[in-house]
Amino acid sequence: MTNAPSPSGTPDGSSSSLPDGATHPPAPLAPEGEQLAHGLRTRHLTMMGLGSAIGAGLFLGSGVGIATAGPAVLVSYAVAGLLVILVMRMLAEMAAAVPSSGSFSVYAETALGRWAGFTLGWLYWFTLIMVLGAEITGASQIVSGWVPGVPQWVVALVFVAVFAVVNLWGVKHFGEFEFWFAFIKVAAIVAFLVIGVLLVLGWLPGTDPVGTTNIFGDPASLAGFAPNGLPGIAAGLLVVVFAFGGIEIVTIAAAEARDPQKAIVTATRSIVWRILFFYVGAVAIMALVLPWDAPELLSGPFVAVLDLAGLPSAARLMEAVVVVALLSAFNANVYGTSRMAFSLAGRGDGHPALTKVSPTGVPWVAVLLSVFFGLVSVGLNWLLPGEVLGILLNAVGSALLVIWVFIAVSQLRLRRRLEAAAGGADRMTLRMWAYPWLTWATLAGLAGLVVLMLFDDAARVQLVSTVVLVGVIVAVYGVRSWLRKRTA
């Protein structure tokens, strides 16, 4: 079968053509007729966004954040949440106009050049691979505690195999599976918020109103609210940034939606506000009812609150919900990594084999590549079972900042071109507020976040690591381009 462009004119099966000025070069494309399926509905996209973002970052990382910054981690969540809302609005503007499985990687390539698309795409792929390890590690740790005779790495191996099948089954079935997984944990968080409010007010049997001592200290003071000061808030931001990562998968999935423009607008308008409410609400309850340095926050903040409420059965049930949440996020991230790899390969920035699509419209080689790295994380579980989660949680925060900066810069450059493109006015069904001023303000906020991180030892190490990682990816692109020119 000969290679040919997709019917839509884009190498990854997007449902709209790129605006004038796109930089896609001639590259190995997916064979004609072997494009991604379009089986996702709006409800699938909405729950997928919730499912991918509500995982280890909330159920496990929130306790780490409180222990790092104290009650002032609420400031970290509020700042990061506002930035996420603005960045997602920019990304949704571009995704609604030009749905693509490469999402922000495609937009960066169009706005800044092929080097930017290559760098951003592989940086995101690498970041999600690390997230895969965090999610599967967290889930297998809990489940192995239920069945002490079974090694943790065996539990992780079973999970990886199951979700390989789910992702290879077909996007419609994947979407339905992810919908119900996400629904379970959203319902559990709502129930947790209700129980938490009753506990704070002292309306549960045998409880008294909590008050604000745990947040502001006794007597109340700013030092009680932020025991580690600005460096603590900055350090907490790394955990917070990781926690909010995953929402952007909605724009990746838009290319496989039945009505991409409508689906992306509806989904993104609701997701960011719901996630911000869930995160800030849940963390506020934890900070109110438990001292910020309580060891229970590190071992399981949700379970600790429910135990305090006198609901041990609910606490055990919450452990099961945490497992569901982590597996749901793992499932969604396998999807995200496979689609990004598929898009990169379709643009000539990955091995051509990654463009292979199954009869059900699934990029099966790209899925298996993600699953392989899931198996690598299983090996890490076996070698370093007590250390992997902490390492991975700290490894991806600043990488997401780079992605957000690229999204903002791409939106600045593409807004006018999208409006000027054929049918641009009709395709711009969602727009960034107060363009370009809020986009510039977002970039300033991201720069301020970097400055804060420079004053924290651990955060500074992560920033340097991210710079090195980005430099390596750019260098790979440069060497690859030089070799191509030399052999041309």
Side-chain angles (χ1 to χ4, degrees):
M1 184 180 294
T2 58
N3 287 350
S6 67
S8 63
T10 61
D12 57 2
S14 307
S15 56
S16 299
S17 59
L18 287 168
D20 184 49
T23 58
H24 291 157
L29 305 178
E32 188 174 12
E34 290 191 0
Q35 295 303 308
L36 301 181
H38 295 271
L40 294 176
R41 298 179 181 272
T42 301
R43 65 184 178 90
H44 293 149
L45 263 65
T46 301
M47 280 299 186
M48 190 182 301
L50 291 172
S52 58
I54 300 176
L58 177 59
F59 288 103
L60 300 176
S62 54
V64 177
I66 297 173
T68 301
V73 76
L74 290 169
V75 176
S76 301
Y77 276 101
V79 171
L82 177 60
L83 288 173
V84 167
I85 288 172
L86 295 174
V87 171
M88 277 302 297
R89 185 77 180 192
M90 300 175 214
L91 182 55
E93 174 186 286
M94 296 182 287
V98 187
S100 170
S101 62
S103 187
F104 42 84
S105 172
V106 170
Y107 311 139
E109 178 176 326
T110 309
L112 302 171
R114 188 173 179 183
W115 71 270
F118 180 95
T119 302
L120 198 59
W122 285 116
L123 176 65
Y124 182 73
W125 181 88
F126 183 77
T127 298
L128 276 196
I129 288 298
M130 291 191 287
V131 172
L132 286 177
E135 308 289 7
I136 206 67
T137 301
S140 60
Q141 280 179 342
I142 296 173
V143 173
S144 63
W146 300 344
V147 284
V150 179
Q152 182 181 322
W153 69 268
V154 173
V155 176
L157 181 62
V158 171
F159 285 150
V160 170
V162 168
F163 289 105
V165 174
V166 170
N167 274 270
L168 292 170
W169 193 2
V171 71
K172 179 181 178 181
H173 300 292
F174 161 82
E176 202 64 31
F177 193 91
E178 189 63 21
F179 174 86
W180 289 109
F181 251 25
F183 180 84
I184 290 172
K185 59 185 174 183
V186 167
I189 292 174
V190 171
F192 174 84
L193 292 175
V194 171
I195 293 171
V197 170
L198 295 177
L199 178 61
V200 168
L201 297 175
W203 290 356
L204 293 176
T207 63
D208 297 317
V210 171
T212 60
T213 300
N214 286 331
I215 285 191
F216 296 109
D218 190 13
S221 68
L222 183 60
F225 179 70
N228 295 323
L230 280 178
I233 295 175
L237 278 170
L238 272 181
V239 178
V240 170
V241 168
F242 168 79
F244 282 107
I247 309 177
E248 66 285 332
I249 201 170
V250 174
T251 61
I252 293 175
E256 294 179 76
R258 295 184 179 182
D259 186 350
Q261 282 80 7
K262 179 180 178 181
I264 195 65
V265 170
T266 303
T268 54
R269 280 177 174 168
S270 61
I271 287 172
V272 288
W273 300 107
R274 292 179 187 178
I275 290 180
L276 184 59
F277 171 74
F278 290 150
Y279 271 91
V280 174
V283 173
I285 288 173
M286 295 172 196
L288 279 166
V289 304
L290 290 167
W292 69 272
D293 55 354
E296 297 88 345
L297 286 171
L298 295 176
S299 58
F302 279 76
V303 173
V305 171
L306 294 175
D307 279 338
L308 197 63
L311 300 170
S313 297
R316 302 291 81 77
L317 180 61
M318 181 56 70
E319 278 193 336
V321 172
V322 169
V323 172
V324 169
L326 294 170
L327 295 180
S328 170
F330 176 81
N331 190 37
N333 288 331
V334 169
Y335 174 90
T337 53
S338 64
R339 269 48 178 189
M340 183 60 73
F342 171 81
S343 175
L344 285 164
R347 287 177 275 147
D349 290 330
H351 195 281
L354 294 173
T355 63
K356 297 294 183 181
V357 178
S358 71
T360 56
V362 175
W364 63 273
V365 176
V367 169
L368 291 178
L369 181 67
S370 299
V371 170
F372 168 77
F373 281 97
L375 291 174
V376 170
S377 73
V378 173
L380 292 176
N381 285 329
W382 179 63
L383 293 171
L384 303 168
E387 303 173 26
V388 175
L389 183 61
I391 294 171
L392 294 176
L393 281 174
N394 288 326
V396 299
S398 51
L400 284 172
L401 292 180
V402 175
I403 293 169
W404 290 357
V405 168
F406 270 86
I407 289 172
V409 173
S410 298
Q411 191 265 343
L412 273 176
R413 293 180 62 90
L414 288 183
R415 172 68 170 265
R416 302 297 186 196
R417 289 164 65 176
L418 285 170
E419 291 177 329
D426 295 333
R427 292 205 313 240
M428 298 290 290
T429 54
L430 187 143
R431 297 169 184 262
M432 176 60 181
W433 305 295
Y435 172 85
W437 309 113
L438 265 184
T439 303
W440 282 111
T442 302
L443 285 169
L446 294 174
L449 185 59
V450 172
V451 171
L452 281 176
M453 288 180 175
L454 290 174
F455 288 92
D456 178 85
D457 292 339
R460 187 165 54 249
V461 170
Q462 291 304 321
L463 286 173
V464 172
S465 299
T466 299
V467 170
V468 171
L469 175 60
V470 171
V472 168
I473 296 174
V474 173
V476 169
Y477 173 80
V479 171
R480 183 171 167 275
S481 298
W482 177 76
L483 290 174
R484 281 187 169 183
K485 290 179 180 178
R486 188 177 181 183
T487 57

